[in-house]
Amino acid sequence: KFKKTEIGLIPEDWEVKTIKNISTKLGDGLHGTPKYDDNGKYYFINGNNLLNKIVITSNTKKCNENEYEKYKKDLTNRTILVSINGTLGNVATYDGEKVILGKSACYFTVKENFSLEYIKYVVKGNIFLKRLEQQATGTTIKNISLQQMRNYDFGIPSNIDEQKAIAKILSDLDSKIELLQKQNKTLEQIGQTIFKQWFVDFEFPNEEGKPYKSSGGKMIESELGDIPEGWNIGNYGDLLEFERGVEPGSKNYLDKKEEETVLFHRVGDLVSDSTLYVKKDILKHKFCLFEDILVSFDGTVGRVRFGLKGSYSTGIRKVYSKSNKFSNNFIYFLMKSKFIQNKIT
């Protein structure tokens, strides 16, 4: 059985809570810049460091203990961090890292009588992210206030054991997805290695199955250096089509599938799948199929993806062979190659 609430239908034995209801404290980080110290042991982090866990990179600034003592927050192993300025909706759980928070990192500590993992999945969900995007202020840099964070409401089982059971299922699914992603990454690395061996180092198998160049295969001079006999120099513009997408305007974005709509992919969706839909009749026949290769040319450039159906934005190009001489597999690894990535950058 379900019941009507301010957030819609929820199971009868669930409740509507806000983040304020389930947390002991909620705040953000330093609205300013601490004094950096290359020899410091404490890291100054912002929303971009929140990627399921706190990720420290070579570009993350360091501070000394005096700065840490001045600006530290009361973080515990029940603290969840969410990015609320610039990039919205990045999430991480705190695990004892030595960090000073910047203003784009909101933190809240979950009360003991609620499942930490369940609450983490609430703020990792698409519904939460869409709410952030709808409520954000600012034109170039989006921002969510602490008050908006406190007032975010969601459904939750009254029984903590049920909360934990739901979180366990989601966690198990995440683990399987992570394993598959690692396997896909390994296979792609193998593919990129073979591509380099064959089409960059010219060590493709000869008629005897041996590496062409190192086994004495004939090489000829070209404007790009020596290439195998029988090969030619070609220009990308002559051989490949780069078809620009379409921009229907955010007013035409739909949150759910309706009749005569398709998924619409933006540059960010080349990393995480889109959940937006657009009516077919305003897309100017700019569609993509599962096997099409998409490459980002605006914003974050050089992202390469296949396996998406629907339509795509003006920041993306669909790349395909003009004369069907090249397979999409070849084009995919060509676009992913270091040479092309450096060219795009």
Side-chain angles (χ1 to χ4, degrees):
K1 292 183 178 180
F2 290 82
K3 61 185 179 183
K4 289 183 179 180
T5 71
E6 57 268 36
I7 63 169
L9 290 175
I10 63 173
E12 197 171 49
D13 58 345
W14 284 35
E15 301 173 301
V16 175
K17 296 288 187 182
T18 63
I19 290 180
K20 181 180 179 180
N21 297 148
I22 59 87
S23 60
T24 57
K25 60 180 64 179
L26 185 148
D28 60 1
L30 173 64
H31 286 237
T33 305
K35 293 179 181 178
Y36 299 136
D37 183 347
D38 290 341
N39 297 315
K41 296 181 180 179
Y42 298 86
Y43 293 94
F44 182 59
I45 66 163
N46 271 295
N48 290 335
N49 297 96
L50 309 180
L51 300 170
N52 289 323
K53 60 181 180 179
I54 295 174
V55 176
I56 305 299
T57 71
S58 57
N59 295 323
T60 307
K61 300 294 186 181
K62 296 179 182 178
C63 301
N64 60 32
E65 189 170 1
N66 288 336
E67 292 296 285
Y68 172 73
E69 289 296 330
K70 192 186 302 183
Y71 299 118
K72 69 180 180 181
K73 302 295 181 180
D74 187 12
L75 310 179
T76 76
N77 62 359
R78 294 188 62 79
T79 298
I80 294 175
L81 303 160
V82 181
S83 60
I84 60 170
N85 181 268
T87 301
L88 301 178
N90 285 354
V91 176
T93 47
Y94 181 70
D95 191 28
E97 295 88 351
K98 296 181 177 180
V99 294
I100 299 172
L101 302 183
K103 68 176 182 179
S104 65
C106 167
Y107 69 94
F108 62 92
T109 301
V110 178
K111 293 177 181 177
E112 293 287 344
N113 55 325
F114 295 97
S115 164
L116 174 69
E117 288 296 309
Y118 182 91
I119 302 301
K120 184 181 76 172
Y121 278 108
V122 168
V123 295
K124 281 178 64 178
N126 286 332
I127 296 175
F128 176 75
L129 182 57
K130 286 177 182 175
R131 183 86 68 88
L132 292 190
E133 291 174 343
Q134 291 167 356
Q135 294 183 349
T137 58
T139 52
T140 54
I141 299 177
K142 300 296 183 181
N143 180 71
I144 289 293
S145 71
L146 296 182
Q147 189 64 27
Q148 288 169 320
M149 284 292 296
R150 290 188 183 97
N151 291 337
Y152 178 74
D153 47 9
F154 56 92
I156 185 171
S158 304
N159 187 317
I160 190 172
D161 290 333
E162 187 177 347
Q163 297 171 27
K164 291 178 179 179
I166 292 171
K168 176 68 166 55
I169 292 170
L170 295 174
S171 177
D172 288 346
L173 287 172
D174 275 350
S175 296
K176 290 180 180 179
I177 291 169
E178 185 179 359
L179 177 60
L180 289 172
Q181 288 174 336
K182 287 180 179 178
Q183 291 173 342
N184 287 341
K185 188 174 182 179
T186 299
L187 291 172
E188 180 161 316
Q189 287 172 343
I190 292 171
Q192 290 178 359
T193 299
I194 293 172
F195 183 91
K196 181 176 182 297
Q197 286 176 343
W198 288 11
F199 301 108
V200 178
D201 301 331
F202 307 126
E203 295 291 17
F204 52 88
N206 62 15
E207 293 178 355
E208 298 174 352
K210 297 179 180 179
Y212 179 86
K213 186 176 180 180
S214 59
S215 298
K218 188 174 180 180
M219 305 291 288
I220 60 174
E221 292 183 3
S222 80
E223 61 204 79
L224 295 180
D226 289 348
I227 61 174
E229 184 178 36
W231 286 43
N232 299 304
I233 301 298
N235 180 279
Y236 293 125
D238 295 334
L239 302 172
L240 301 176
E241 191 70 58
F242 295 85
E243 187 174 316
R244 190 169 184 254
V246 63
E247 182 47 66
S250 58
K251 64 181 180 181
N252 291 308
Y253 293 162
L254 302 171
D255 290 337
K256 59 183 179 180
K257 185 174 178 59
E258 297 179 4
E259 190 175 350
E260 294 299 310
T261 61
V262 297
L263 277 168
F264 186 74
H265 308 288
R266 297 168 294 177
V267 170
D269 301 320
L270 300 189
V271 176
S272 59
D273 293 346
S274 175
T275 57
L276 294 177
Y277 292 85
V278 172
K279 292 280 188 180
K280 288 182 181 179
D281 58 4
I282 61 173
L283 292 172
K284 300 178 181 178
H285 303 288
K286 294 296 179 73
F287 299 109
C288 57
L289 302 175
F290 183 87
E291 62 271 17
D292 286 329
I293 308 302
L294 302 178
V295 184
S296 62
F297 271 48
D298 294 343
T300 304
V301 299
R303 289 176 173 170
V304 184
R305 180 78 186 267
F306 75 96
L308 300 178
K309 295 180 180 180
S311 187
Y312 56 100
S313 73
T314 52
I316 296 172
R317 305 295 185 274
K318 181 169 69 174
V319 186
Y320 55 91
S321 175
K322 285 186 174 180
S323 57
N324 294 321
K325 287 185 177 180
F326 308 110
S327 72
N328 280 0
N329 291 331
F330 177 84
I331 294 171
Y332 176 80
F333 285 110
L334 179 69
M335 292 295 111
K336 295 277 285 189
S337 67
K338 287 185 178 179
F339 178 76
I340 298 301
Q341 287 292 308
N342 288 339
K343 281 283 186 182
I344 293 173
T345 302

